[in-house]
Every structure is written in C-alpha cells, then in structure tokens.
Amino acid sequence: MKSNYLLYFLLLGLLCACKNEPAVSKDTETFTIPNTPESICRLWQKVLDNNEIDKALLLGSSATQAWLTENKDLIVDNGTNEATTFINMTCTETADKAICKYTLREDGDLIEDYFSLIKLEQQWLIHIEENASNDPEELIFEKMKKSLEL
C-alpha cells in the first residue's frame, strides 16, 4: 500500500516537472522562455529594449551570443529605452529554420526587417549569422543598402 502512494507522488512530481516552456530562475525572478518563432522574436526585442542583455543571451544561438557579447556596449549605451511596437510580424518555418518578417514604426518611419531563427534541441533561438559584420558602420551601410533594395 505504501509503495502505491510512493509511486503516485513520484508520477505527480514527474508530471509537474514536465513543461513546454523552460524557465530560468535568476535570484527571485523567473524568466520563462517561449518556444515559437514569433514569441521568441517579440521577447528578444523586449529584453533588448530594456537592456537586459543577460536574458537576451538565453534567447540566442551561440553565434548570436558571441555577437551580443561583442556589441553589448553599443546596445546598452544607445540611450534609448523606448519599447518597440511591431505593426505586424509573419513567421515562416522550414524544418529547423525560421524567418520572421516584421514592420515597426520608429520616429514616424515604417521599418521593415526580419529575424532569423534556428531550432536547437527543440528550442527556437534568434540566430545572427556568424559571417555577419560586427562593424557598426558596416551594419548601417547594410541597412541602407537593404532599404534602397540594392
């Protein structure tokens, strides 16, 4: 009889431990990581808007983590903490990759861009290509080129 109770509590504990979204605990705050491309993109932008680089690191691939670490000072020192408001976002998944195209309004201008994601160990992560330039001037040039569709 006691072994049935023990088995019941063991199964109950296992069920409680199973979750679709991993939670990362830091101090008393729990940070829940969603697992759809769109929700990862929205959370990524939110934590960057709040200069929460430690949380952004949890949402990126190893290439993205390296890029974020290298560019941390530029991101944190940009002086703006205005929340990004997406007008729309459409994500397309292909196997373990996804592209989320979005439109947002910034300083009265409409900006169209995209997030690239990869799925590692069943978790969607923001992925910044390893061969992408880390030079801020080059990034500005690339954005200008994209906006002019060159």
Side-chain angles (χ1 to χ4, degrees):
M1 187 74 152
K2 287 184 180 183
S3 64
N4 286 341
Y5 288 117
L6 181 60
L7 182 60
Y8 172 74
F9 285 113
L10 180 61
L11 288 174
L12 183 62
L14 286 173
L15 287 174
C16 290
C18 295
K19 294 181 181 179
N20 290 336
E21 298 179 350
V24 178
S25 182
K26 184 178 178 184
D27 300 324
T28 58
E29 178 185 343
T30 299
F31 179 63
T32 301
I33 300 174
N35 200 18
T36 64
E38 183 171 346
S39 60
I40 288 290
C41 293
R42 289 180 183 278
L43 183 56
W44 165 265
Q45 191 61 52
K46 179 181 175 183
V47 298
L48 286 181
D49 287 347
N50 292 323
N51 292 323
E52 297 174 301
I53 303 303
D54 55 332
K55 290 180 181 178
L57 287 168
L58 299 171
L59 303 173
S61 66
S62 58
T64 301
Q65 291 170 353
W67 177 87
L68 194 56
T69 301
E70 190 172 314
N71 292 287
K72 180 180 179 177
D73 293 337
L74 289 173
I75 295 167
V76 173
D77 289 342
N78 71 8
T80 61
N81 283 338
E82 185 176 328
T84 300
T85 302
F86 293 101
I87 295 172
N88 64 45
M89 184 179 297
T90 304
C91 298
T92 305
E93 296 177 33
T94 307
D96 62 349
K97 296 182 180 184
I99 297 290
C100 291
K101 295 179 181 180
Y102 63 85
T103 304
L104 60 88
R105 185 175 307 278
E106 184 177 285
D107 297 327
D109 296 325
L110 286 179
I111 297 174
E112 295 181 348
D113 207 346
Y114 67 93
F115 291 107
S116 179
L117 298 95
I118 59 173
K119 195 172 196 178
L120 293 174
E121 298 178 10
Q122 304 303 312
Q123 177 63 52
W124 285 106
L125 300 169
I126 298 291
H127 183 64
I128 297 174
E129 298 294 328
E130 291 183 44
N131 60 357
S133 173
N134 290 330
D135 179 11
E137 291 178 8
E138 184 67 25
L139 292 173
I140 291 170
F141 176 74
E142 287 300 319
K143 281 192 171 192
M144 289 172 56
K145 189 167 82 172
K146 189 187 305 183
S147 69
L148 295 173
E149 297 179 10
L150 297 176

